Amino acid sequence: MRYFEYILQILPLLVLWNLTAIPRTQSSALLPTNLQAIQPTPPFPFQAPLDSPKAQDDRRPWASLRDRLIRFVWNIPVEDHSRSTSFQSSWETFNPPSSLKARYGGDVVLRFQIQSLEESTALSEAIYVLMLDVWEFTADWVDVRLSKDVVPLLLGLLPASLQRAHTPLIYDLTQAIFESYPSATFEEPTTPVQDGYRTFSPDLRPPTDETNIFFRNYQPLSVIIPWMRLLSSLFPTHVRMINIGVSYEGRDIPALRVGVHPTNSEKPSAPRKTIIITGGSHAREWISTSSVNYIAYSFITAYGKSPSMTKLLEKFDWIFIPTLNPDGYVYTWETDRLWRKNRQQTGIRFCKGVDLDRTFGFEWDGTSPKNNPCSESFAGEAPFQGVESRRFATWVRNETEQNHVEIVAFLDFHSYSQQVLYPYSYSCTSTPPLLENLEELAIGIAKAIRLTNGHSYGVTSACEGSVLVESHENKTNGVNGNKNTQRYKHEVWPRMESGGGSALDWIFHEIRARYAYQIKLRDTGSYGFLLPSRNIVPTGKEAFSAVKYLGEFLLKNKVVGEVVVEDDNVPDDEDRVGGAMRMEQAGWKEQDLVTESSAEEAVQSQDVEEEEKIAGINWELRRRRRK
């Protein structure tokens, strides 16, 4: 019965807005001029008309029902492009194949610039009621995908300042979707190979990043799994393919364990330090999956060639999980390119899927009134209801409790917005233990990325990276009346979606990983989730630089009590007391952190180019404290 309440909540609100918000005759006037003027053109190779009937019929059932309801209540006419015979004849030549059912011909992606609490609140409520697809959001802007017919309704629910404070990011969503697939995906089997495409043939020369055909395009799961098996068979000395668990639809969640274990059986070994690298929690974020594959390939093939990389594989185990959501990933290839959640059934038959990055047990926020099964960020009815997140959590606990493993770091790759985010995600006011160390490493990761290709990544907490936090300064008189003290009041603006139940917070708080980050890859909105394949290698290089820097940072530093210090620098009393207080507040214990008996040597790389990228990093922020 709870699910029918969601629908019943929406209907009276739509009727109320129909009567009070804006007259129907003025609805078209709210449509931005730059959207009214859109005249679709048929770019090569595929094009569907913006509001073609077929595109609308092939929508997700919930999206189609929602848009029809909105048109009925608001009496919004459906645009008919069939009157333009010249355009009709031109796009039929490039009609997408019937195998791709999801059509977004009438959709656009808008970016709203948020500048006030009123704007943030109004946009959040409108998105919730209209069940819109939030692509991404930061402290400054929100990207929303919606039907062009729904734009007037959305703007009518927003304050006047927001009705013009937005910009279209993607005019032709259908074309962008088709171009994200490999070039031959929609070709008939009999179609000859086009000129300029290199066919696969044996080559004695080692492939470079640019000529490696695996990274020329995004790859489906049916290609990724055999590729992972091939790597494990070609490099058996330091690569092993493992299975994290089984998905809702019965698919394996594959992973590569990369590392060289010590062979000295006489010396008792400490728990094996392990770093987990994940991607693909959200199915449509293909660049995260390809980046994890690129990192794994770079680590595997560098063993024995680069002294610094060889040492990283000897000191750590690296777990590479290209996609935690194999069912959703397959669905994006076969049916709906913009699918986000997993594919398990919910209480509403036509609203499938759970957001795997919102269903972990730590600070799960599923009791929120906005936790709707039809929402893209549905957290489930209970913690760990997402099958794949539950399998992953079970595997991690089994590794740490049964297999003599210590998880020292966790990197979760997503897209998009170019940010390095550290805990916490669920709260902007809770301070994580060892905050200074988290910030220091995050800044170093961002710099390593920038030195790779020149792209800048922001650094902040996962909460503050997605919502604006205002700090108000108050001055009061001191005890003697001659001294002023400053107090800061933090005001957190409404979120576009919940931040609780994330894998980032769970790994950091429950598993006690010392370093946990969520890295949001390219870009900043020009393509969003539909990043062209030409960005696979450049983005992969940036991700590789981030992971490599993480490993070198862990080797270069030692853990002393509750604070990480470099070489012989000893933390002062203030550092120790502050770190201990935060550990106690978060439930951490000193024995949760392993004290190194001796400092690890700094990595001595013989690769001059690699050393130049890392050298010169000045850690003047080591003693940085949040005001």
Side-chain angles (χ1 to χ4, degrees):
M1 294 299 296
R2 176 182 177 182
Y3 303 111
F4 293 102
E5 295 177 0
Y6 299 132
I7 301 177
L8 294 177
Q9 290 174 359
I10 296 173
L11 287 175
L13 290 174
L14 290 175
V15 174
L16 177 62
W17 285 323
N18 180 41
L19 297 176
T20 62
I22 53 176
R24 297 175 183 174
T25 57
Q26 298 178 5
S27 61
S28 60
L30 288 176
L31 190 64
T33 305
N34 49 8
L35 287 181
Q36 293 180 16
I38 293 178
Q39 295 296 330
T41 56
F44 184 83
F46 303 111
Q47 170 66 32
L50 283 181
D51 288 314
S52 65
K54 181 173 179 55
Q56 297 292 342
D57 293 341
D58 286 337
R59 288 173 173 272
R60 306 176 193 175
W62 167 247
S64 178
L65 175 63
R66 176 200 63 197
D67 291 348
R68 290 182 182 182
L69 178 62
I70 291 174
R71 291 192 189 97
F72 173 76
V73 174
W74 280 83
N75 195 23
I76 300 176
V78 178
E79 297 182 17
D80 185 7
H81 293 285
S82 61
R83 299 176 182 176
S84 176
T85 56
S86 60
F87 174 75
Q88 183 76 9
S89 61
S90 63
W91 70 260
E92 283 181 349
T93 306
F94 308 106
N95 188 30
S98 57
S99 59
L100 194 62
K101 299 179 181 179
R103 298 290 187 254
Y104 296 92
D107 288 6
V108 294
V109 179
L110 301 182
R111 168 164 293 181
F112 290 87
Q113 302 289 340
I114 306 298
Q115 298 180 348
S116 69
L117 177 61
E118 178 190 9
E119 292 179 351
S120 179
T121 302
L123 183 59
S124 175
E125 293 177 352
I127 288 172
Y128 163 64
V129 172
L130 297 179
M131 296 298 171
L132 301 182
D133 181 8
V134 178
W135 272 31
E136 190 55 81
F137 51 95
T138 68
D140 302 316
W141 47 261
V142 179
D143 293 348
V144 182
R145 180 187 64 83
L146 71 166
S147 171
K148 193 174 72 172
D149 294 336
V150 181
V151 172
L153 176 59
L154 172 61
L155 298 183
L157 305 179
L158 301 178
S161 58
L162 269 184
Q163 293 183 6
R164 297 298 178 184
H166 61 275
T167 306
L169 293 182
I170 301 179
Y171 289 99
D172 193 346
L173 197 58
T174 303
Q175 183 66 24
I177 290 174
F178 294 147
E179 291 180 354
S180 69
Y181 286 97
S183 56
T185 299
F186 303 110
E187 294 179 359
E188 297 294 333
T190 56
T191 302
V193 178
Q194 299 181 11
D195 294 338
Y197 284 89
R198 170 173 169 259
T199 57
F200 180 81
S201 60
D203 193 343
L204 297 179
R205 296 172 299 177
T208 63
D209 295 333
E210 286 71 19
T211 60
N212 191 319
I213 60 175
F214 184 81
F215 297 110
R216 181 173 297 174
N217 290 302
Y218 295 106
Q219 303 296 342
L221 192 64
S222 59
V223 173
I224 292 176
I225 291 180
W227 177 79
M228 296 172 70
R229 292 198 186 104
L230 178 63
L231 289 178
S232 64
S233 62
L234 290 176
F235 303 94
T237 57
H238 56 287
V239 182
R240 183 159 58 95
M241 187 171 178
I242 61 176
N243 181 25
I244 301 300
V246 179
S247 70
Y248 175 78
E249 294 182 345
R251 294 182 176 88
D252 289 340
I253 305 175
L256 291 175
R257 182 187 290 272
V258 182
V260 181
H261 288 225
T263 57
N264 186 3
S265 58
E266 297 179 358
K267 181 180 179 181
S269 60
R272 179 67 172 177
K273 293 180 173 56
T274 302
I275 300 169
I276 301 177
I277 315 293
T278 64
S281 297
H282 296 147
R284 60 191 176 187
E285 298 171 6
W286 286 6
I287 192 63
S288 67
T289 296
S290 68
S291 294
V292 173
N293 287 333
Y294 186 93
I295 300 167
Y297 178 82
S298 300
F299 268 66
I300 292 169
T301 56
Y303 178 70
K305 300 177 182 178
S306 168
S308 61
M309 294 299 299
T310 300
K311 189 167 186 177
L312 290 179
L313 296 185
E314 291 174 347
K315 296 296 183 181
F316 302 102
D317 266 5
W318 303 80
I319 308 297
F320 296 100
I321 310 174
T323 175
L324 277 173
N325 185 8
D327 296 345
Y329 187 72
V330 170
Y331 193 73
T332 61
W333 279 85
E334 297 179 350
T335 306
D336 185 349
R337 173 63 180 87
L338 296 180
W339 186 260
R340 169 185 167 106
K341 302 182 286 185
N342 74 349
R343 291 294 299 162
Q344 73 185 72
Q345 186 62 57
T346 65
I348 297 182
R349 183 178 59 84
F350 52 80
C351 291
K352 286 188 175 182
V354 173
D355 184 347
L356 295 181
D357 200 37
R358 292 291 173 263
T359 188
F360 283 82
F362 179 68
E363 294 295 337
W364 177 75
D365 194 27
T367 58
S368 169
K370 295 185 178 181
N371 192 37
N372 189 324
C374 297
S375 169
E376 296 289 352
S377 58
F378 178 51
E381 292 295 326
F384 290 112
Q385 188 179 46
V387 172
E388 292 81 5
S389 61
R390 185 168 67 251
R391 299 282 190 270
F392 174 67
T394 301
W395 177 83
V396 170
R397 287 202 178 277
N398 184 67
E399 288 290 299
T400 57
E401 297 173 2
Q402 305 294 331
N403 294 338
H404 206 46
V405 165
E406 178 192 359
I407 308 299
V408 295
F410 172 69
L411 291 183
D412 186 18
F413 284 97
H414 287 258
S415 73
Y416 54 97
S417 72
Q418 296 182 192
Q419 295 187 94
V420 180
L421 307 175
Y422 53 82
Y424 287 115
S425 172
Y426 80 94
S427 171
C428 293
T429 57
S430 297
T431 302
L434 311 177
L435 173 62
E436 297 81 2
N437 300 328
L438 290 170
E439 290 179 328
E440 176 187 350
L441 178 53
I443 294 171
I445 289 174
K447 186 168 185 177
I449 293 174
R450 180 170 57 82
L451 291 175
T452 303
N453 289 322
H455 283 248
S456 297
Y457 280 57
V459 175
T460 185
S461 72
C463 176
E464 293 179 2
S466 59
V467 65
L468 185 60
V469 180
E470 282 190 322
S471 296
H472 301 283
E473 179 180 308
N474 297 326
K475 295 185 178 180
T476 60
N477 292 328
V479 177
N480 298 325
N482 56 3
K483 184 185 300 184
N484 290 334
T485 59
Q486 296 180 348
R487 296 178 181 177
Y488 295 90
K489 177 183 178 182
H490 298 283
E491 182 178 8
V492 182
W493 291 12
R495 289 190 175 204
M496 298 302 118
E497 64 181 39
S498 170
S502 69
L504 172 71
D505 290 354
W506 184 80
I507 287 280
F508 179 77
H509 189 274
E510 299 294 328
I511 304 301
R512 303 293 194 262
R514 299 176 218 167
Y515 298 97
Y517 299 95
Q518 183 180 101
I519 299 182
K520 294 193 175 183
L521 300 166
R522 296 189 187 183
D523 56 7
T524 56
S526 298
Y527 295 97
F529 304 122
L530 306 175
L531 198 65
S533 58
R534 63 178 177 271
N535 291 272
I536 292 176
V537 171
T539 307
K541 290 181 177 179
E542 293 170 356
F544 169 72
S545 297
V547 176
K548 182 173 181 291
Y549 182 84
L550 166 68
E552 292 180 334
F553 179 90
L554 295 177
L555 277 182
K556 190 177 181 180
N557 289 270
K558 62 179 180 178
V559 178
V560 179
E562 63 275 1
V563 265
V564 175
V565 297
E566 183 178 352
D567 297 333
D568 296 327
N569 293 334
V570 180
D572 54 29
D573 294 338
E574 181 183 356
D575 291 334
R576 292 183 179 275
V577 173
M581 289 179 62
R582 285 189 294 274
M583 291 170 61
E584 183 178 358
Q585 291 173 357
W588 287 44
K589 298 179 180 179
E590 185 172 354
Q591 54 265 34
D592 290 328
L593 302 178
V594 178
T595 302
E596 301 285 348
S597 59
S598 61
E600 294 284 358
E601 294 182 353
V603 178
Q604 300 296 328
S605 175
Q606 297 180 4
D607 188 336
V608 177
E609 181 180 357
E610 293 176 354
E611 285 298 320
E612 289 178 348
K613 291 182 178 180
I614 303 302
I617 294 181
N618 183 10
W619 294 118
E620 70 276 4
L621 296 178
R622 179 170 300 280
R623 302 299 182 184
R624 176 182 175 184
R625 293 292 185 270
R626 174 167 298 178
K627 294 182 179 180

